[in-house]
Amino acid sequence: MATRVRKTKSEEKILTAAAELFYANGLRGVGIDQVIVASGVAKSTLYVHFHTKEELVAAYLRRTDDSWMAQLQDAAARAGGSPREQLVGLFDALTDAFDRHGFFGCPFISAAVEADLDSQARAITVQHTQRRQAWLTELSEKAGAAAPQALARHIGLLIDGALASGRLLQDRTVVDEAKSAARLLVAGCT
C-alpha cells in the first residue's frame, strides 16, 4: 500500500510541474529534464508513470480539460440559476485565471498549434472543444435560444478569442469585452 501512495504523490508532483511548465512555455518548449528538475523526482520515477513525453502531454491535457471545464461550470453556477446568466457568467472563469497567473493563453489552442494533426495531443484538444461546445449547447438550449448550436459556437469563439487576445495583449479588459459581447448575444438569442 505504501508503494501506491508514493506512486500517486510522485505522479501528482510530475503532473503539477509539467502543467506549469507546459502552460508557460508550450509543449515543445519543455523537455523531460526540465519536468524532472521541477518535480523533484528521479528520471526513472518519471518514466515509471509516463513512458514517453507524449504520454505526459496527454495526461496534462486530460487533467487540464477536467480542471478547465470545472472552472467554467463553477463560474457559470456562481452567476445564478438562469442559463442566460450562466452563459455570460462563465467568462468570470477567464478573469479568475488571469488574476491567478496572468494570460498565457488557452492551453488547448497552444497545444493544437504545436501538435501534429495526427497526434494524441491534438485529438485531446479537439475532444476538449467538443466537450465544451456540448455543454455550451446544452446551456443555450436551456436558455431558450432559437439556434442553440449557433449561440454555443459564438460563445465558444468569444472564449477562444478572449484567451488568444489576452495572451497577445496581456490585457484583462479583453475578457470584459468578450463577456459584454456574450451578454448581447444571449439577450438577442430568441
Side-chain angles (χ1 to χ4, degrees):
M1 191 67 154
T3 303
R4 180 66 185 146
V5 171
R6 253 181 272 133
K7 179 179 178 187
T8 302
K9 286 181 180 178
S10 294
E11 186 173 10
E12 181 61 29
K13 287 166 91 175
I14 294 164
L15 279 171
T16 298
E20 291 173 12
L21 290 167
F22 289 146
Y23 187 61
N25 303 297
L27 303 180
R28 292 184 182 167
V30 176
I32 288 294
D33 289 338
Q34 290 171 282
V35 175
I36 291 166
V37 169
S39 65
V41 302
K43 185 179 268 192
S44 59
T45 302
L46 183 135
Y47 283 114
V48 163
H49 297 287
F50 306 101
H51 296 54
T52 64
K53 182 178 176 183
E54 290 75 24
E55 283 183 24
L56 178 59
V57 167
Y60 152 70
L61 289 171
R62 285 189 187 99
R63 180 178 167 185
T64 302
D65 175 38
D66 289 340
S67 172
W68 185 234
M69 285 299 299
Q71 290 173 58
L72 288 171
Q73 291 167 345
D74 179 61
R78 289 191 322 255
S82 161
R84 287 174 174 258
E85 293 171 337
Q86 292 177 358
L87 283 165
V88 175
L90 65 86
F91 284 86
D92 292 342
L94 281 69
T95 303
D96 295 345
F98 180 81
D99 290 344
R100 264 193 320 278
H101 45 64
F103 268 134
F104 288 99
C106 175
F108 299 100
I109 293 171
S110 297
V113 167
E114 291 187 59
D116 292 332
L117 291 177
D118 61 349
S119 68
Q120 185 178 17
R122 179 142 188 330
I124 294 168
T125 64
V126 169
Q127 290 166 359
H128 163 75
T129 302
Q130 291 169 338
R131 179 180 178 198
R132 184 194 70 192
Q133 290 309 115
W135 174 65
L136 291 173
T137 300
E138 181 182 325
L139 270 181
S140 297
E141 288 168 351
K142 289 178 182 176
Q149 289 182 333
L151 178 59
R153 279 192 307 273
H154 294 153
I155 298 289
L157 287 170
L158 287 172
I159 293 168
D160 293 341
L163 290 169
S165 291
R167 167 100 189 218
L168 177 66
L169 302 173
Q170 292 298 303
D171 183 356
R172 83 191 292 261
T173 61
V174 297
V175 176
D176 297 332
E177 291 165 355
K179 186 175 180 178
S180 292
R183 187 174 287 111
L184 292 173
L185 282 170
V186 170
C189 74
T190 53

